């Protein structure tokens, strides 16, 4: 079931504020999918989803390998019959202010992240939303 990313209802937005683990699907350089569990935050006002990670992780390397234009990815969250997928183009940000903002958002939804001097943020510009929250 497709939704307008600019007009999500309260139930949908509440689902993305609840504490759930999601999966992030990226493509390896050989084209095969790489799916990993992640914590994700979603900011509907800007259409940005964020995943914090170490710069040496496979998911970060996959996004970086796509080049400056970024890589199309999918984030999926499931809770019994409720589910949602956010799709969009991901890029890696390493500016201290971008990482700090993503860490703050992560702490609000999950918990304070552990200290990681190699942390970056994967930012996904969400342009397609599916689900049944």
């Amino acid at each position: 079931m497709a939704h307008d990313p600019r007009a999500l209802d309260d139930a949908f937005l509440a689902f993305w504020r609840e504490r759930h683990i999601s999966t992030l699907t990226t493509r390896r350089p050989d084209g095969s999918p790489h799916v990993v569990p992640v914590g994700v935050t979603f900011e509907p006002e800007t259409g940005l989803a964020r995943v914090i990670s170490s710069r040496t992780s496979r998911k970060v390397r996959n996004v970086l390998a796509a080049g400056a234009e970024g890589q199309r990815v999918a984030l999926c969250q499931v809770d019994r019959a409720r589910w949602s997928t956010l799709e969009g183009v991901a890029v890696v940000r390493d500016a201290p202010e971008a990482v700090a903002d993503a860490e703050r958002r992560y702490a609000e939804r999950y918990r304070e992240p552990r200290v990681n001097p190699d942390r970056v943020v994967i930012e996904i510009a969400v342009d397609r939303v599916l689900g049944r929250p």
Side-chain angles (χ1 to χ4, degrees), residues 48 51 53 55 60 63-64 68 90-96 98-99 119-123:
L48 284 179
V51 174
S53 182
R55 75 176 64 250
V60 168
V63 173
L64 289 172
V91 295
V92 176
R93 306 272 187 230
D94 61 2
V99 174
R119 181 165 289 131
V120 295
V121 58
I122 300 172
E123 287 186 353

Side-chain angles (χ1 to χ4, degrees), residues 53-103:
S53 182
S54 180
R55 75 176 64 250
T56 59
S57 73
R58 176 82 260 171
K59 59 188 166 287
V60 168
R61 289 182 295 156
N62 288 345
V63 173
L64 289 172
E69 301 80 35
Q71 183 184 103
R72 188 147 188 91
V73 302
L75 290 158
C76 187
Q77 177 173 278
V78 178
D79 179 43
R80 299 181 188 229
R82 298 184 309 156
W83 66 276
S84 176
T85 299
L86 305 177
E87 296 179 10
V89 175
V91 295
V92 176
R93 306 272 187 230
D94 61 2
E97 56 277 359
V99 174
D101 180 53
E103 289 172 330

